[in-house]
Amino acid sequence: HPAPPRGGGGVTPLTAHSQSSGSQMVARCLCSHPKLPLYLAGGDGIIQCWQFGQTLQGLGLHDHLRARYALPPTPGAAAAAASVRVSPCSEQLACIDDRGRLGLWRMQGGRADAGGTAILPFASFQCHARAGTDVCYVDSSVVLATTGAGGKAPSVCLWDALLPPAQARVAACSPHAEGGTCVAYAPGERALVSGGAGGDLAVFDLRQRQIRQQWNAHTLAVRCVSVDGGRFHAFSASADGDVKLWDLSQSEARLGYWRRVHEPHTVSPLFQPPATVLGRTYGVTCLVDDRSRLVTGGADGRLACFCY
């Protein structure tokens, strides 16, 4: 099982080795490229592709803007990116926004100006009626899973981008009554693992097209899920500040439980960030599984590292 977070309650200061230049965008989600020294930052109405820092004479390390991608147009104010991912072939990217719309783009090279023309998606789908929260690729660059909220509509959907928009949804389920918040693909079991706003976890079998398992995992919303496909284990992190490890091959088989890894923090009405829900609680906000290490970040401003 993972060991307790390193360093006890202390926090080691981190030094920024590089910074982006020329961007005024508020980044709402990030994703690194699996092969190239690039990363994507999603904001309001736009996605920016940046190259990790290169030395500039007299300026030190600075990241460089490589491309800009426009989110699918929506009525009214611009939609905000909720989740962005690079495809397994590394040549495409996908983003779902807070209006529930999914866009697909081809990765572009070269250099771009901050005010240059943004690239439009080659395909887009209305996935969720109320809001989209997360997206992931499933084995290929044309099959994707999304989660979000949309009243009585399914909270987890599987899409085939090669089909016409009216026929693109090839599977769906509704495990989360309050809406889905995150989704991850477990290739070894051909299953989707999703978390919900009510603190529930679900495993959707893609071969049987049915929910295999579902249980209440946390007291507050599940913020992120990370799957170890080889062992079919999954980490879940919640707004209550807890991190848990699950054996997804068994019903509700909890292997580990770390309480209050990050302190819950409720957004004050006086200090409400843009595009957030008033009174929403944030505990663990991000989780990265690096095979032998688990790194979490929280609303308390801390990073925690687990070894397992």
Side-chain angles (χ1 to χ4, degrees), residues 249-308:
S249 63
Q250 305 178 43
S251 179
E252 299 188 46
R254 192 179 69 192
L255 301 178
Y257 177 24
W258 298 268
R259 178 176 172 79
R260 293 293 179 90
V261 174
H262 297 277
E263 289 297 320
H265 170 70
T266 301
V267 177
S268 167
L270 299 178
F271 303 99
Q272 181 188 4
T276 60
V277 177
L278 200 62
R280 178 175 290 178
T281 300
Y282 296 84
V284 183
T285 55
C286 60
L287 179 152
V288 177
D289 183 3
D290 189 27
R291 297 294 182 182
S292 60
R293 296 179 301 175
L294 185 74
V295 180
T296 64
D300 55 6
R302 297 173 55 252
L303 290 176
C305 180
F306 299 77
C307 292
Y308 67 96

Side-chain angles (χ1 to χ4, degrees), residues 38-113:
L38 305 173
Y39 65 92
L40 301 171
D44 295 339
I46 200 74
I47 302 168
Q48 294 181 346
C49 178
W50 292 84
Q51 181 176 348
F52 282 109
Q54 293 180 333
T55 303
L56 297 179
Q57 186 173 3
L59 297 177
L61 290 175
H62 281 261
D63 295 354
H64 301 292
L65 182 63
R66 291 295 181 179
R68 301 170 73 248
Y69 305 91
L71 295 185
T74 56
S83 177
V84 60
R85 297 285 185 266
V86 179
S87 68
C89 71
S90 306
E91 296 179 355
Q92 298 179 10
L93 66 99
C95 176
I96 192 166
D97 61 38
D98 61 356
R99 308 285 181 84
R101 195 159 185 83
L102 173 68
L104 305 175
W105 296 260
R106 294 181 179 87
M107 296 286 291
Q108 301 290 328
R111 293 291 295 271
D113 297 325

Side-chain angles (χ1 to χ4, degrees), residues 43 45 71-75 77-83 94-105 123-135 144-151 153-159 165 168-169 179-181:
L71 295 185
T74 56
S83 177
C95 176
I96 192 166
D97 61 38
D98 61 356
R99 308 285 181 84
R101 195 159 185 83
L102 173 68
L104 305 175
W105 296 260
S124 62
F125 307 91
Q126 185 64 48
C127 299
H128 303 277
R130 192 184 307 165
T133 53
D134 200 7
V135 60
L144 305 97
T146 64
T147 186
S155 53
V156 178
C157 301
L158 187 70
W159 305 87
R169 195 177 77 184
T181 54

